[in-house]
Amino acid sequence: MNVNKSSLDLYWKDDFVALESAGKIILHELREDEAEGDVHRRIVSNGNHSYFLSETAFQHVQSIPLPRQLDEEVRKVKHSLEMGIFAEESFAWMIVDHKLFLWSVDVELDFMNLEIQSGQTIVSVGLAPPKKGVFKETIEWCLIVTTLDEVLLFALQKHDGGFRLVRTHYNVSTDSIPSVSVCGLPDGRIFMGGCDGSLSEFAYESPSNGTSHRKTQEQALNGFYDGSSTSMPIINSTHNATTQFFTGGKRALASALYERPKKCRKLDHSANGFKALARTVVPGWFMKIPSALFGSEKMGSLDKIVHDEERKCLYTLSKRGFISAYDLRDNKIAFKASLDCVQISRQYLSAVARGHMFVSSSSIEFAGGGAAAQAGLGGMEGARSILKLADPGNSGKSGILTPIEIHVLPRSESSRLTLLAITAGGLRYYLTSLSSSLDKSNLAPSNKMTVCHIRAPPPIDPMTGSCEGSFDEDIPGSRTPRVFSETVVDAAAYSGGHMFLALKKAEQTNSASAGELGNVVIGTNTDLVARKVTKKDDVVLRELPGGLTESVSVPSALFGGRIYSACANRTAHNSSVMKLMLNSQTPSDSELSNDLAPPFYPRVARKEEEKEYNGKSPKSSRIVGRSTALVQSTGTKVSGSLVLMQVMSNFFLSRPLSYGLKLNSSLRRSANYSRHPLYRLSARYGTSGFSFTASGKVRSDVSVPRSRKSNKSARLSPWLQRPAVIPLSDISLSHLFPCTTTIVASLGGLHFFRSGTILQSLSEVLMAAGPHLDSDAGVIAFYNNYGAKQFCTMCLTLGLGCGPAKGNSSMSEELKRRAKAAAFKLGGRPKVTKKEGFENELNEAIVVENADEPLIPNSYEFSQSFLSAGLTSILSRLLRPIWFKPAVVVTEGPKENFPAKVELLLDEATLADVRSPLFALKMLMKDKFQKAVEAVPGVRNLDSSQMEIDGTNVLTQSMQFRGTLRLHNTASGSLSQEDAEVTAHLVEERNIHSMFRLLSRVIQLLDLLSLLRRAQVMSDLPEVEWGSLHGLTISQLVQSRGGQERVDSLLNSLVSSSSSPSYTNVIPTADSDAIAKSLATECYLYFSPGSRYAYLGFRAAKEALRCLDDSARRSACIKHSVEKFLTAASYWTNAQLITGRLMHSGEIETYTEKAHVALRYDSPLARAASILLKLEEYVAIVDICSITASNFNGKHNSTALTDSATVFYPWENMLYHNRKPSIVSSNEDSNHGRNGMSSNSIVVGTSVTPQDAVLTCNAIILYNVLIVLNGPSSEQSKKMMVSACAASSDKDFLRAFFQNLIDTKHQSILLKIDSPELERWLKNNKDHELMWQYYVAQKKIYEGWRTNVGKSYQNERKLFSRGENPLFGTSEKFL
């Protein structure tokens, strides 16, 4: 029975089928991880919103008391005492009246202090990055200090491993409106909130010298290549200080010699225009009159300002609970909306208390409906109790609805919600400023703000610190949200789903002892435990959490006074990897269906090639180096007077004397490099999103162009350049986050709390477990709580050294050993089972449908083991940061003759961080999955070219059984237990092996990108053809055949271009040889043996050219070069590389034209023949072309090649390099015309065919023959070249060779060739005159006479027997 005999055989025969299969599983896992991360989606889901007590969710780590000097200053306080934390740099600060103290919370350094000389009380402080171009590079931060009368700017400068405060001249008046809050933006802008509710900006600029606002040529170029600029203004290079003097007069020169006053001002962005106008017109002393005369005091002071960098939005919170939103797009600021939180929250609570399912107010949205709204507040009763506490008549409690803190909800947490507000009563308001449209790409704030959800705090009694809430009967251990009447919130913080609350009894807020009592600290975390839920009919199931389920911890109370401030900081091991991880929304199926982006070939390269192969040398250029600033040549002559004026102006303006006269020598490249640079590597990387220079929309039907004439690189879709941020759950990010740290500031010192991750909890469970991990109660509980698949995923994550084990040498090795042991002991086994009715229990295993699984009978289903599912899950999470992102984005130069801009996805540090866990996973698979990795599952012969299905009886019967079922179209019958077990293990091992192949390709691709970056800056190597990789994602380069061909093209160009005229005299250095060796040993899945041997051949040939003609060294190098080229030729099976074409030309071309195309586009065969011609190795030229042609015409078995010099496993031999071209039959080539073209060879619009490759091989030989015959070569050289061609056994080539000699006026040489094939060819052409000349030249008188006279054989014998010469008319006897 052979119905299913070839199922696995076909699976492994195509090298890319396994990669595509593994890629589909990765895609499934990526989409699965995106299902539960969005906070808004969790609110909408039909889940509970309960709290669960946990002792480890939030833990106190340490407390650091204040320095003694600060204690003494606190005792001297008279008017004001404030404390806080700057999250940007982990600085703690304290204000004591007119003094400010600043110190680092991470390192033990002396604190910095400043004192306002006027004695004015400090109102507020803030931190902001410095604006570009204003301060020196040693300035890290700007410190903004506000007093009652003025705003001062100080600089934080690096000094002796720490910082020091430096006073600047930037200061403005407050106009009698003190600023009570400060917010610094990443671009250096500073916003301040006034005590009257106004919003203002502290604007400062760099000193102007008349030319500071004009970009120089170098600055414009750097903005294009290294920044995000999409255009580059070309500055006239002759525009210098001298011309400025004559055009701008003495003001321009004076501005350069004398420093102008620094610009600093206060800009009022308040919505009240009359108030802003009054401050501008009315004198300052008059503004001391209460500002209520000029505007309403309804909102109160702006106590908080936060910035949403992703959405370009600014939020303000007033003392009376008003939240306003401002749009910051286009470097402007515009008021958009305002929300009275107290009033709107009352409406929300009232609707919940009445049991309404919706609210008519446009500012309220019940996300998840009325049920979710009730669950967040503890039901209708909970809403009523909150309304009662917030009644205005309840003194001291009416403020529980007023927000005291606001925090931005980044897109990594929610695509809909934008802001979280925490009230004095611990309530959380989930707000959005986005419009309700379905366009998720529109991040601009709308004209209204909406309350989507309100959540009550955990039911913690501040008197006892115990949880006193009611239980959910269906879920044991759950607590419903509740607001206690005895508490208010002193301080709050939030970050990444972790919340911190500092509670204190309300009646002690204003008491004399309030400052001495401590707070009750509460910490909450997102809860992902699958708890037991009792359903109808008393069925107990484990259900994954839904809604805003959280775990809550209550550490011991902190003494030492009221908590002034808290700061939650969630830091990743590597911020660049985390950015890539979060900005990684999985593309849709329609987006993934697009073809590969077309390659890009710079215009400069084409012009150079045309000049090179037309015999013209390129003109000299002012463009030097690959990463230098470029200067356009004006083409005008410079007189001596202008040079003198330039030097004098440089002297007076303190510039280098060479300014404007020549390029900086540090930017020049090696003298060996004479061609125009084609590419320039950008200093910008894809970790922050690619620039928009290559932005645009790619058509779904985009295809590779037929020629290399495109002047612009293909424009990429937005999802490729900057993928959308996707909210991911904590469990998906746990391998990148060590923990969340909360820093609390009080008079008792700085207190540090830690919110551990799930991996942290698992590591503690594993380290505390006994020797039998599979039976330990803690391990089993964790296994049940998070499910088998997630348990195995987390164990494997720890086994790789991620999470808590990262950088922790004390527990790393033991933890990794235990984690791997737990995963393998509890990972389960794969199963093939009979299909039955659906069960109610949650099945975590991935079930493979029979249509995609040829080994499983129709009535059976396959379930992979939890260990295999965990392996797939961790691989998908490690690949997520890079998988669907372009490895390289190329943009054409801003002007003609400028190099193209190259943006790489990963810098070296980020690439190493991405590669490290992937490599650890590969080592784990090699160690623990040896059976699935070391041999190809289901293959008996390890030779990849001769794979056969395993002949075991069990497997054969299993496949025959399935074939029988399909043949008879029936679902009856059953597999034996042994058949099912063997088949299940085979399928799982095949899947694991496919994953290993994909993982190996990813690691080698990362290594390849790193090596290409190094090769780009080496002067002895050609430039890397980055355009070949433009727009191709990592997944496409790894798992698609087209991606492999692009890499082949790039590496071939890197190798073959080394023999071009620009590099013929350049011998590779040791560094270049090291790169070639690394490509061969670390990237052998991409770097083909043909390219490897070709590199060695080119290197030896160039070394031979530098030796003396008759030296032994030259002979040895030539011999070595020929050997390597002959070996490389046997591996050249890529028709596109041989022809130098991407598509079939569709035109009739001469052999010379074909050879020129091959040379111009770095055909390795054409390049090898060119350099061998210089070495006068004519026989070698014919041999390598003949061997290469035999790879395409079936006369050489290229599929049986082996090259195990660098591979690790036998099955990796020639993997992804063993192309099997369709064979060109002799019948197709028997009808060559005068140019050797077949009548069937022109197929417009198709890919390059093997027939094209054969014709190119012949064309390269004939092209070099003409060079020898028409050049100054010696007669001996011409004879050797022609003899080598005539000795060929390829009849098709010989016929083309003969015809070409006639067409090129070398008939005399043709007639000297003694070849039976030539004689037959002449007979077939029936050219009697030419045949007669041939016989004469060959002294074959008898054959010549037959040709000339045309007599019969009998008449010929009679004539010769009488001694008559039919050709010359004599009686000379020839017999």
Side-chain angles (χ1 to χ4, degrees):
M1 186 70 63
N2 296 322
V3 177
N4 195 37
K5 178 70 176 175
S6 61
S7 57
L8 268 184
D9 192 19
L10 294 177
Y11 184 89
W12 296 122
K13 281 291 185 182
D14 190 332
D15 295 341
F16 293 92
V17 169
L19 297 176
E20 293 172 358
S21 176
K24 291 179 181 178
I25 300 177
I26 294 296
L27 177 62
H28 171 84
E29 291 292 328
L30 292 175
R31 289 175 173 169
E32 191 176 73
D33 276 346
E34 297 175 3
E36 300 296 335
D38 197 313
V39 175
H40 185 262
R41 185 181 298 179
R42 290 169 54 200
I43 295 174
V44 174
S45 65
N46 295 323
N48 66 82
H49 293 255
S50 302
Y51 292 100
F52 294 89
L53 283 177
S54 173
E55 296 180 358
T56 61
F58 192 76
Q59 296 176 327
H60 176 252
V61 179
Q62 65 173 338
S63 293
I64 301 177
L66 295 178
R68 181 177 301 177
Q69 185 176 350
L70 292 184
D71 285 336
E72 296 175 356
E73 293 291 340
V74 170
R75 296 188 184 98
K76 301 176 184 178
V77 64
K78 296 179 180 179
H79 304 290
S80 175
L81 176 63
E82 292 291 338
M83 294 184 67
I85 307 291
F86 289 140
E88 299 90 341
E89 189 62 29
S90 297
F91 278 129
W93 56 267
M94 175 185 286
I95 296 176
V96 182
D97 295 333
H98 63 288
K99 300 178 181 178
L100 173 66
F101 302 92
L102 191 68
W103 70 99
S104 175
V105 300
D106 294 331
V107 294
E108 296 182 2
L109 296 174
D110 294 336
F111 57 83
M112 298 168 284
N113 67 300
L114 64 88
E115 184 175 349
I116 304 300
Q117 298 299 324
S118 62
Q120 294 185 19
T121 300
I122 297 176
V123 179
S124 62
V125 294
L127 203 64
K131 288 187 176 180
K132 292 183 178 180
V134 178
F135 299 104
K136 296 180 179 179
E137 294 181 355
T138 56
I139 303 300
E140 289 283 323
W141 296 96
C142 290
L143 180 69
I144 305 94
V145 180
T146 72
T147 67
L148 295 175
D149 292 338
E150 61 180 344
V151 181
L152 306 120
L153 186 69
F154 294 84
L156 280 174
Q157 184 182 32
K158 288 182 178 180
H159 179 69
D160 292 339
F163 292 92
R164 69 175 180 180
L165 279 173
V166 179
R167 176 71 181 269
T168 70
H169 295 287
Y170 295 114
N171 61 82
V172 295
S173 172
T174 62
D175 297 327
S176 301
I177 309 297
S179 299
V180 296
S181 58
V182 180
C183 177
L185 273 58
D187 60 358
R189 298 180 71 182
I190 301 170
F191 290 94
M192 303 177 295
C195 64
D196 62 342
S198 62
L199 178 67
S200 59
E201 181 178 358
F202 182 89
Y204 65 97
E205 300 174 1
S206 61
S208 176
N209 57 8
T211 60
S212 61
H213 299 290
R214 183 181 292 113
K215 285 187 177 181
T216 64
Q217 176 79 358
E218 184 174 354
Q219 289 173 338
L221 281 164
N222 291 338
F224 175 80
Y225 285 104
D226 300 331
S228 58
S229 174
T230 58
S231 62
M232 190 205 71
I234 302 300
I235 311 287
N236 191 340
S237 60
T238 62
H239 187 82
N240 50 42
T242 306
T243 58
Q244 291 178 25
F245 175 76
F246 287 108
T247 58
K250 64 180 181 180
R251 183 180 298 275
L253 186 59
S255 64
L257 297 177
Y258 304 102
E259 183 176 346
R260 299 183 65 186
K262 298 175 175 59
K263 297 181 179 180
C264 179
R265 59 191 182 276
K266 179 182 178 183
L267 306 177
D268 192 349
H269 299 301
S270 176
N272 192 331
F274 176 71
K275 186 182 297 186
L277 178 62
R279 292 182 187 139
T280 305
V281 178
V282 178
W285 61 269
F286 191 73
M287 291 301 298
K288 294 183 179 180
I289 301 175
S291 58
L293 295 176
F294 303 99
S296 171
E297 289 291 321
K298 177 182 178 181
M299 295 178 60
S301 60
L302 289 188
D303 291 346
K304 302 289 180 182
I305 306 176
V306 295
H307 175 232
D308 189 344
E309 184 179 1
E310 293 178 310
R311 305 179 181 96
K312 307 297 181 185
C313 186
L314 194 74
Y315 297 101
T316 64
L317 170 64
S318 71
K319 188 174 184 178
R320 299 184 180 178
F322 286 82
I323 296 179
S324 301
Y326 295 83
D327 191 356
L328 297 180
R329 278 167 174 72
D330 300 326
N331 204 29
K332 301 178 181 178
I333 181 168
F335 173 80
K336 300 299 293 186
S338 182
L339 181 70
D340 185 350
C341 292
V342 177
Q343 179 184 355
I344 295 300
S345 62
R346 288 182 185 276
Q347 297 179 18
Y348 185 101
L349 292 169
S350 178
V352 175
R354 290 181 173 88
H356 294 171
M357 293 294 102
F358 62 91
V359 185
S360 59
S361 173
S362 61
S363 298
I364 298 177
E365 171 190 316
F366 274 176
Q374 293 183 21
L377 296 169
M380 298 169 59
E381 288 297 327
R384 295 189 187 107
S385 64
I386 296 174
L387 283 173
K388 184 176 180 181
L389 290 174
D391 189 273
N394 189 354
S395 60
K397 297 289 187 276
S398 59
I400 65 172
L401 299 182
T402 304
I404 61 171
E405 290 283 351
I406 52 176
H407 297 274
V408 172
L409 289 177
R411 289 191 294 163
S412 59
E413 292 187 47
S414 178
S415 58
R416 170 63 177 159
L417 305 175
T418 61
L419 194 69
L420 174 69
I422 303 176
T423 71
L427 293 167
R428 277 177 279 176
Y429 299 160
Y430 291 88
L431 314 174
T432 181
S433 61
L434 304 179
S435 64
S436 57
S437 64
L438 299 178
D439 185 10
K440 294 184 178 181
S441 62
N442 183 16
L443 303 178
S446 63
N447 294 326
K448 71 172 184 177
M449 294 191 67
T450 307
V451 178
C452 296
H453 187 70
I454 297 180
R455 179 162 172 76
I460 303 298
D461 187 350
M463 299 296 295
T464 61
S466 59
C467 192
E468 301 294 340
S470 58
F471 293 87
D472 189 329
E473 296 180 357
D474 295 334
I475 307 177
S478 63
R479 302 291 195 280
T480 57
R482 176 185 173 186
V483 176
F484 277 84
S485 61
E486 294 85 0
T487 60
V488 293
V489 177
D490 272 344
Y494 177 88
S495 177
H498 303 263
M499 185 183 69
F500 168 86
L501 295 177
L503 306 179
K504 185 166 56 177
K505 292 186 65 175
E507 59 267 21
Q508 294 180 348
T509 302
N510 299 320
S511 64
S513 60
E516 300 177 0
L517 296 178
N519 294 90
V520 173
V521 176
I522 298 176
T524 65
N525 278 341
T526 302
D527 186 87
L528 299 174
V529 175
R531 291 183 169 82
K532 293 181 179 180
V533 180
T534 304
K535 297 294 185 180
K536 294 181 179 180
D537 302 328
D538 296 330
V539 177
V540 179
L541 301 175
R542 286 195 173 272
E543 189 175 82
L544 296 176
L548 293 181
T549 306
E550 294 176 305
S551 56
V552 57
S553 296
V554 186
S556 58
L558 297 179
F559 295 93
R562 176 174 70 91
I563 292 178
Y564 285 87
S565 178
C567 172
N569 188 16
R570 194 185 193 195
T571 57
H573 287 300
N574 184 295
S575 58
S576 297
V577 177
M578 178 54 66
K579 287 181 182 179
L580 292 171
M581 186 77 172
L582 297 178
N583 292 268
S584 60
Q585 184 177 24
T586 304
S588 63
D589 290 337
S590 61
E591 292 170 335
L592 292 176
S593 64
N594 292 340
D595 294 334
L596 303 183
F600 170 70
Y601 301 97
R603 183 186 305 174
V604 177
R606 291 193 299 274
K607 289 190 174 182
E608 290 294 330
E609 289 153 356
E610 291 172 1
K611 294 174 182 178
E612 180 177 322
Y613 295 104
N614 289 330
K616 300 178 182 179
S617 60
K619 297 180 181 180
S620 61
S621 173
R622 295 292 301 278
I623 305 177
V624 295
R626 294 178 183 168
S627 59
T628 68
L630 308 180
V631 178
Q632 273 194 331
S633 176
T634 59
T636 59
K637 296 183 179 180
V638 181
S639 63
S641 59
L642 290 178
V643 173
L644 179 61
M645 293 180 64
Q646 175 71 66
V647 173
M648 293 181 62
S649 64
N650 292 338
F651 174 78
F652 285 110
L653 296 177
S654 299
R655 291 173 174 165
L657 297 183
S658 60
Y659 180 85
L661 299 178
K662 65 179 182 179
L663 288 177
N664 192 330
S665 59
S666 63
L667 300 178
R668 293 189 179 273
R669 188 175 164 82
S670 170
N672 293 331
Y673 188 81
S674 59
R675 294 182 57 174
H676 285 296
L678 307 182
Y679 301 96
R680 170 173 166 176
L681 291 179
S682 174
R684 181 188 180 96
Y685 294 93
T687 51
S688 300
F690 294 102
S691 63
F692 292 106
T693 53
S695 62
K697 186 175 182 180
V698 178
R699 305 193 319 271
S700 59
D701 60 342
V702 67
S703 60
V704 179
R706 299 178 186 176
S707 64
R708 309 186 184 200
K709 297 182 179 180
S710 176
N711 295 329
K712 292 185 178 181
S713 61
R715 294 310 184 236
L716 305 179
S717 298
W719 72 267
L720 272 174
Q721 286 200 291
R722 295 194 178 185
V725 176
I726 185 68
L728 299 172
S729 64
D730 283 357
I731 201 168
S732 302
L733 300 173
S734 57
H735 64 287
L736 292 176
F737 281 126
C739 62
T740 298
T741 302
T742 302
I743 306 174
V744 174
S746 71
L747 295 181
L750 299 180
H751 311 280
F752 295 82
F753 294 86
R754 184 186 66 190
S755 300
T757 63
I758 299 176
L759 282 182
Q760 179 69 35
S761 302
L762 176 59
S763 64
E764 295 173 357
V765 170
L766 292 175
M767 295 302 292
H772 303 289
L773 295 173
D774 53 343
S775 60
D776 183 83
V779 174
I780 297 300
F782 206 98
Y783 177 93
N784 292 329
N785 285 341
Y786 293 97
K789 177 184 174 181
Q790 293 296 349
F791 175 82
C792 292
T793 302
M794 289 186 284
C795 284
L796 292 175
T797 303
L798 291 176
L800 301 180
C802 300
K806 186 177 180 66
N808 191 345
S809 58
S810 61
M811 62 182 300
S812 176
E813 294 303 322
E814 178 62 18
L815 176 60
K816 286 193 273 187
R817 186 191 67 80
R818 285 173 170 259
K820 287 184 283 189
F824 279 84
K825 289 183 178 180
L826 298 173
R829 293 177 176 273
K831 298 178 181 178
V832 171
T833 56
K834 188 80 171 178
K835 288 183 179 179
E836 297 179 358
F838 294 101
E839 300 179 357
N840 292 329
E841 295 187 4
L842 177 66
N843 184 7
E844 295 180 343
I846 300 175
V847 179
V848 181
E849 296 294 336
N850 296 68
D852 299 329
E853 186 46 72
L855 293 179
I856 308 300
N858 287 331
S859 58
Y860 286 79
E861 60 184 2
F862 167 72
S863 299
Q864 64 179 329
S865 67
F866 298 119
L867 178 63
S868 177
L871 184 69
T872 304
S873 180
I874 182 57
L875 177 57
S876 68
R877 291 171 185 175
L878 295 178
L879 291 178
R880 174 179 285 278
I882 61 173
W883 191 236
F884 290 115
K885 294 184 176 65
V888 179
V889 172
V890 181
T891 310
E892 69 280 357
K895 297 290 181 180
E896 188 175 358
N897 295 333
F898 281 77
K901 179 172 78 170
V902 178
E903 295 176 86
L904 302 180
L905 174 63
L906 305 173
D907 57 79
E908 283 296 332
T910 307
L911 187 147
D913 286 335
V914 171
R915 182 187 183 278
S916 178
L918 290 171
F919 184 77
L921 180 60
K922 181 180 179 180
M923 294 297 102
L924 183 146
M925 294 183 70
K926 292 171 65 175
D927 181 37
K928 298 295 184 179
F929 296 93
Q930 295 181 2
K931 184 178 179 181
V933 168
E934 292 182 353
V936 180
V939 175
R940 179 176 57 193
N941 194 329
L942 293 181
D943 185 356
S944 61
S945 64
Q946 313 224 343
M947 292 181 180
E948 296 180 4
I949 297 298
D950 194 331
T952 59
N953 187 41
V954 174
L955 179 58
T956 303
Q957 289 180 358
S958 174
M959 291 186 296
Q960 289 180 351
F961 172 77
R962 180 181 178 277
T964 303
L965 293 181
R966 284 197 170 183
L967 183 63
H968 295 286
N969 193 22
T970 177
S972 62
S974 62
L975 283 175
S976 67
Q977 182 177 357
E978 185 180 12
D979 289 346
E981 183 177 349
V982 171
T983 304
H985 280 84
L986 177 64
V987 173
E988 176 145 305
E989 289 174 3
R990 184 205 61 188
N991 293 341
I992 292 175
H993 186 90
S994 300
M995 287 293 172
F996 183 80
R997 288 193 177 190
L998 183 139
L999 176 59
S1000 299
R1001 289 268 293 180
V1002 172
I1003 294 173
Q1004 292 202 15
L1005 178 62
L1006 294 177
D1007 293 337
L1008 174 63
L1009 294 174
S1010 178
L1011 292 172
L1012 292 179
R1013 188 203 314 268
R1014 289 170 50 192
Q1016 176 70 16
V1017 298
M1018 291 187 176
S1019 60
D1020 55 325
L1021 286 178
E1023 283 197 83
V1024 177
E1025 284 285 357
W1026 296 106
S1028 300
L1029 305 183
H1030 168 63
L1032 300 190
T1033 63
I1034 299 294
S1035 63
Q1036 291 172 336
L1037 291 172
V1038 168
Q1039 64 181 11
S1040 71
R1041 190 182 303 277
Q1044 175 70 33
E1045 290 177 351
R1046 295 287 186 87
V1047 177
D1048 282 345
S1049 175
L1050 181 148
L1051 294 175
N1052 169 74
S1053 177
L1054 187 63
V1055 171
S1056 301
S1057 296
S1058 62
S1059 66
S1060 64
S1062 301
Y1063 291 94
T1064 301
N1065 297 325
V1066 180
I1067 302 298
T1069 62
D1071 291 337
S1072 299
D1073 291 340
I1075 288 182
K1077 183 177 180 181
S1078 297
L1079 287 172
T1081 56
E1082 300 172 10
C1083 309
Y1084 54 83
L1085 297 179
Y1086 291 94
F1087 191 55
S1088 67
S1091 296
R1092 173 159 54 88
Y1093 287 115
Y1095 174 82
L1096 298 175
F1098 285 124
R1099 194 192 191 291
K1102 291 197 292 184
E1103 189 172 352
L1105 289 174
R1106 300 190 65 174
C1107 299
L1108 297 178
D1109 290 343
D1110 298 327
S1111 64
R1113 177 63 180 168
R1114 178 184 177 93
S1115 300
C1117 290
I1118 291 176
K1119 180 180 179 181
H1120 183 70
S1121 174
V1122 170
E1123 290 176 353
K1124 296 303 178 183
F1125 280 135
L1126 290 174
T1127 306
S1130 61
Y1131 293 101
W1132 287 336
T1133 59
N1134 188 332
Q1136 290 184 354
L1137 295 184
I1138 296 302
T1139 60
R1141 301 178 184 272
L1142 299 175
M1143 301 295 288
H1144 189 93
S1145 64
E1147 301 175 357
I1148 298 178
E1149 297 175 317
T1150 65
Y1151 285 119
T1152 300
E1153 292 172 339
K1154 287 181 178 294
H1156 277 168
V1157 170
L1159 272 171
R1160 182 177 303 173
Y1161 296 114
D1162 296 327
S1163 165
L1165 179 62
R1167 291 290 190 183
S1170 176
I1171 201 168
L1172 287 175
L1173 183 66
K1174 297 176 183 179
L1175 297 174
E1176 299 181 355
E1177 289 295 321
Y1178 309 115
V1179 176
I1181 294 176
V1182 178
D1183 288 344
I1184 63 171
C1185 290
S1186 300
I1187 294 174
T1188 304
S1190 67
N1191 295 333
F1192 299 95
N1193 58 22
K1195 299 177 182 179
H1196 172 66
N1197 187 14
S1198 62
T1199 61
L1201 291 173
T1202 60
D1203 180 64
S1204 58
T1206 58
V1207 299
F1208 190 86
Y1209 293 109
W1211 53 265
E1212 290 180 317
N1213 176 40
M1214 293 299 296
L1215 193 63
Y1216 314 116
H1217 306 304
N1218 200 355
R1219 286 177 171 79
K1220 305 172 182 60
S1222 56
I1223 305 303
V1224 180
S1225 64
S1226 58
N1227 294 333
E1228 292 177 351
D1229 285 348
S1230 60
N1231 249 351
H1232 287 293
R1234 296 184 64 83
N1235 286 324
M1237 296 293 295
S1238 168
S1239 59
N1240 299 325
S1241 62
I1242 302 178
V1243 187
V1244 180
T1246 61
S1247 300
V1248 177
T1249 63
Q1251 181 178 342
D1252 294 326
V1254 173
L1255 293 177
T1256 301
C1257 293
N1258 296 342
I1260 292 172
I1261 299 177
L1262 300 180
Y1263 173 74
N1264 287 278
V1265 168
L1266 292 181
I1267 293 177
V1268 174
L1269 296 182
N1270 296 333
S1273 302
S1274 63
E1275 291 299 324
Q1276 181 65 21
S1277 297
K1278 295 178 181 179
K1279 181 178 180 180
M1280 291 176 60
M1281 188 69 189
V1282 173
S1283 299
C1285 294
S1288 174
S1289 61
D1290 189 341
K1291 297 180 180 180
D1292 297 328
F1293 165 72
L1294 289 175
R1295 289 193 290 268
F1297 171 59
F1298 301 150
Q1299 183 65 53
N1300 190 64
L1301 288 177
I1302 296 176
D1303 296 339
T1304 56
K1305 312 300 182 183
H1306 292 98
Q1307 181 172 319
S1308 61
I1309 296 178
L1310 173 70
L1311 299 179
K1312 296 179 181 180
I1313 300 175
D1314 184 7
S1315 169
E1317 188 62 33
L1318 174 58
E1319 186 175 353
R1320 283 192 293 270
W1321 180 77
L1322 292 173
K1323 289 181 180 179
N1324 292 335
N1325 283 351
K1326 299 181 180 180
D1327 189 339
H1328 300 291
E1329 180 69 21
L1330 186 62
M1331 285 188 64
W1332 176 75
Q1333 296 178 17
Y1334 171 75
Y1335 286 132
V1336 171
Q1338 296 295 327
K1339 297 182 179 181
K1340 296 182 179 181
I1341 307 302
Y1342 171 70
E1343 288 81 359
W1345 177 82
R1346 289 184 57 190
T1347 302
N1348 190 42
V1349 179
K1351 299 293 184 179
S1352 64
Y1353 179 77
Q1354 291 79 6
N1355 293 333
E1356 296 164 8
R1357 298 297 298 174
K1358 291 179 181 179
L1359 289 174
F1360 274 88
S1361 65
R1362 294 196 299 267
E1364 299 179 3
N1365 189 335
L1367 296 179
F1368 302 101
T1370 65
S1371 299
E1372 182 179 356
K1373 294 184 179 180
F1374 293 90
L1375 298 178

